[in-house]
Amino acid sequence: MKRTLFSALLAAGLLTMGACNQQKTEVGEAGMNQAATQAADAANPTVDNPNVAAETAAPNPDAPVLTFAESEFDFGSIQQGEVVKHTFEFTNTGKTPLLIDNAQASCGCTVPQWPKEPVAPGAKGKIDVQFDSHGKAGVQNKTVTVTANTQPSTTVVTIKGTVLDGAAGPVRQ
C-alpha cells in the first residue's frame, strides 16, 4: 500500500515538473529572461565608476597612470640573514591624481611602504620594499602588488636574488 502511494506521488511530481518545463518553453525563454533582467536593472542601478572594468566600457582617458622607472630589482647574492632594501620610483603619467590604496607583498618577509597621499599628475613617488632573508635560502622571487585608481587597478613590481648559505654557497633544495 505504501509502495503504491509513493509511486503515485512520484509520478504526479514528475508530471508537474514536466508541465513546468513545457510551460516555460511555450512562454519563451527570451521573454522571461528579459523581464528578469529589466527587474534586476531597476533594483540595482549602475553606478558610473570609470575605474571599474566592464566589457563594454571604454577606458577612462583621464585616469591616473602608474609608470615605474623599473618593475624588477635583482639584489644578486646575499648571505642568509641579511636585509635588502630597494626603492621603486614611479611617476603619475596620467591626467588625474594617483591614489595608491594598498601595496601587498607575496610573502611576510617582504614589507612595502607607499605614499598615502595623492600623487599629482606629472609628480614622482616611491615605494620602499624591504626583504628580510632570515630563514630563506636559494633563489628568491618576491612580488609586491600595488592597487591604485589606475586602469588596470593593479601593477606588480618584483624583487629577486639568491640567498647564500654561509661559505658553502647557494643552498640546494
Side-chain angles (χ1 to χ4, degrees):
M1 176 76 173
K2 287 182 182 180
R3 183 173 252 179
T4 306
L5 181 60
F6 178 74
S7 297
L9 289 174
L10 181 61
L14 290 174
L15 287 175
T16 303
M17 287 177 21
C20 289
N21 288 339
Q22 184 180 20
Q23 188 176 25
K24 179 179 175 183
T25 305
E26 290 173 5
V27 170
E29 291 180 16
M32 291 180 67
N33 288 338
Q34 184 179 9
T37 301
Q38 288 173 348
D41 289 346
N44 301 311
T46 302
V47 176
D48 184 22
N49 183 350
N51 294 324
V52 175
E55 288 181 31
T56 59
N60 178 4
D62 296 329
V65 178
L66 182 60
T67 305
F68 280 95
E70 61 179 339
S71 61
E72 186 175 282
F73 173 70
D74 188 342
F75 58 80
S77 296
I78 61 171
Q79 293 296 319
Q80 190 174 45
E82 288 185 45
V83 175
V84 176
K85 296 179 182 178
H86 183 70
T87 300
F88 287 96
E89 295 182 358
F90 65 87
T91 304
N92 177 3
T93 57
K95 297 178 181 178
T96 56
L98 170 68
L99 299 169
I100 297 177
D101 181 48
N102 193 14
Q104 181 71 42
S106 60
C107 175
C109 63
T110 306
V111 180
Q113 293 182 347
W114 65 94
K116 308 300 189 259
E117 62 280 344
V119 178
K124 295 184 180 293
K126 63 182 183 173
I127 297 178
D128 295 320
V129 179
Q130 178 175 309
F131 168 71
D132 186 350
S133 68
H134 283 90
K136 302 293 179 192
V139 175
Q140 302 295 311
N141 188 20
K142 307 300 178 186
T143 60
V144 175
T145 302
V146 180
T147 306
N149 62 334
T150 56
Q151 291 178 349
S153 63
T154 59
T155 305
V156 177
V157 293
T158 305
I159 187 168
K160 66 180 185 175
T162 303
V163 177
L164 304 174
D165 181 22
V171 175
R172 297 200 172 138
Q173 296 178 0

